[in-house]
Amino acid sequence: MKGFMQNMWKNRAHVIMALPAFLVLFFIMYVPMAGLVMAFKAFDYSKGIFGSPWNGIENFKFLLASKSTFINMTRNTVLYYLLFTSVGTVLNVALAIAIDNLVLKRMAKTMQTLMIIPVFISYAAVQFIVYAFISSDTGLINNALGLNIKFYSVAKLWPWILLITKIWKDTGYGSVLYMSVLSGIDTSLYEAADIDGANKWQKICHITIPSLIPMITVMLLLSVGNVMRSDTGLFYQVTRNSGILYPTTQVIDSYVLNQIFKNSNFGFTAATSFFQSVVGLLLMLFANFTVRKIAPENALF
């Protein structure tokens, strides 16, 4: 302890600089964790969180009460995570490499700025953009192709609609981290490849992509912790919470939101969050353990 305090005093300037971020992290991310006790209580507004009676694992039983619903929404959550992560990672990397290889750097910066803009548009607005394209009456797709597809009634089409929406909104922003890695690659590697007669594709395959692998691994490891979580705005607002689409669009987070609006059961909400966090933690630890065995230098810890 004495050594710790001496080290803190020795680096007091850095400690003071990091203090605001630490306080924000502590009060926003750690203090609210005390609310997880609601997962094991029958929450009562009049008694508060800590005064409410204990009810054991009843909130977890409520989550599992409808076995078919639980299995369906869990399957959807995991499959959407795999779909979004795999396609998103490939497109993020491809876009970063494409922009990095543009000859006109001013144009590259302009394109990068334009592609980042969608991430700042809330899903409350995105739902109207999507509706403008796929509405059965006035939708651009139906009118342009002379079709009459009722998109909001056909559940099997929505994995593709949600994937396209997710890609449009997040790909530009997701490529930024990879572009920062590309800017740090030693240019002498490319110069040596030019001397050896390597073409553009060979340089990408043997220099660019291997340089990106550590960042790709870290981003995948960080995302594994959210495997049981989904973007509520995407699945609740863009789909307009249409019950007929639930077989392919209902995920755990949208189900919880519906339950809050119907029952205001915050104990159930806490139990679901607890379940999601535990599963995410275990999967992240397993993924990190696997990476550490294969490539220790790419592991988080």
Side-chain angles (χ1 to χ4, degrees):
M1 186 63 181
K2 182 179 179 181
F4 174 76
M5 296 305 297
Q6 289 177 342
N7 187 52
M8 291 278 286
W9 177 252
K10 181 180 178 181
N11 298 283
R12 56 189 178 277
H14 297 95
V15 171
I16 293 173
M17 290 175 63
L19 188 60
F22 170 78
L23 292 176
V24 169
L25 182 66
F26 177 74
F27 285 108
I28 293 181
M29 302 299 293
Y30 285 91
V31 171
M33 289 179 67
L36 286 175
V37 72
M38 285 198 300
F40 306 96
K41 289 194 170 190
F43 180 69
D44 187 337
Y45 280 100
S46 62
K47 297 179 181 179
I49 296 177
F50 300 104
S52 299
W54 296 91
N55 69 346
I57 59 172
E58 291 301 317
N59 292 320
F60 294 93
K61 289 181 180 179
F62 183 73
L63 175 63
L64 302 172
S66 179
K67 187 176 180 180
S68 59
T69 301
F70 176 77
I71 292 175
N72 180 68
M73 66 183 182
T74 302
R75 182 196 64 213
N76 287 344
T77 302
V78 174
L79 291 179
Y80 274 117
Y81 165 80
L82 295 175
L83 179 64
F84 291 165
T85 302
S86 57
V87 176
T89 300
V90 171
L91 292 180
N92 288 341
V93 172
L95 181 61
I97 293 174
I99 293 177
D100 186 68
N101 281 275
L102 281 177
V103 176
L104 301 176
K105 296 303 178 184
R106 176 172 290 184
M107 181 181 293
K109 292 181 179 180
T110 303
M111 289 181 62
Q112 181 182 353
T113 302
L114 292 175
M115 287 183 291
I116 288 176
I117 290 176
V119 79
F120 298 107
I121 304 175
S122 71
Y123 278 112
V126 171
Q127 68 167 316
F128 293 108
I129 298 174
V130 174
Y131 183 80
F133 277 92
I134 66 175
S135 170
S136 58
D137 299 324
T138 59
L140 295 177
I141 293 177
N142 280 333
N143 289 336
L145 301 179
L147 303 174
N148 187 28
I149 302 174
K150 298 185 181 300
F151 288 95
Y152 286 94
S153 301
V154 185
K156 64 181 181 181
L157 296 176
W158 277 87
W160 305 107
I161 295 173
L162 293 175
L163 176 62
I164 293 171
T165 304
K166 184 74 172 177
I167 289 172
W168 169 77
K169 194 171 189 302
D170 292 346
T171 299
Y173 182 76
S175 65
V176 172
L177 283 175
Y178 298 110
M179 291 185 66
S180 66
V181 176
L182 292 176
S183 64
I185 298 177
D186 189 353
T187 55
S188 63
L189 295 174
Y190 293 108
E191 293 171 357
D194 287 330
I195 294 174
D196 291 337
N199 57 34
K200 182 71 70 175
W201 178 248
Q202 290 173 326
K203 287 188 286 186
I204 290 174
C205 291
H206 298 287
I207 299 176
T208 306
I209 294 180
S211 299
L212 289 173
I213 287 178
M215 176 60 74
I216 294 173
T217 305
V218 169
M219 296 303 295
L220 290 176
L221 285 176
L222 291 174
S223 71
V224 167
N226 293 318
V227 65
M228 299 302 291
R229 300 183 184 277
S230 307
D231 198 324
T232 308
L234 177 64
F235 291 95
Y236 187 83
Q237 293 181 308
V238 174
T239 64
R240 301 201 161 197
N241 197 33
S242 176
I244 199 172
L245 303 178
Y246 280 174
T248 60
T249 64
Q250 188 176 62
V251 292
I252 295 177
D253 286 333
S254 62
Y255 176 77
V256 170
L257 188 59
N258 277 318
Q259 291 301 316
I260 291 175
F261 289 150
K262 292 178 182 178
N263 305 317
S264 297
N265 187 347
F266 291 101
F268 164 71
T269 305
T272 306
S273 297
F274 190 83
F275 166 74
Q276 291 174 302
S277 299
V278 170
V279 173
L281 174 62
L282 294 176
L283 288 175
M284 188 181 71
L285 291 175
F286 174 75
N288 186 75
F289 174 79
T290 304
V291 171
R292 192 171 61 207
K293 289 293 183 182
I294 299 173
E297 67 280 2
N298 293 336
L300 289 176
F301 48 85

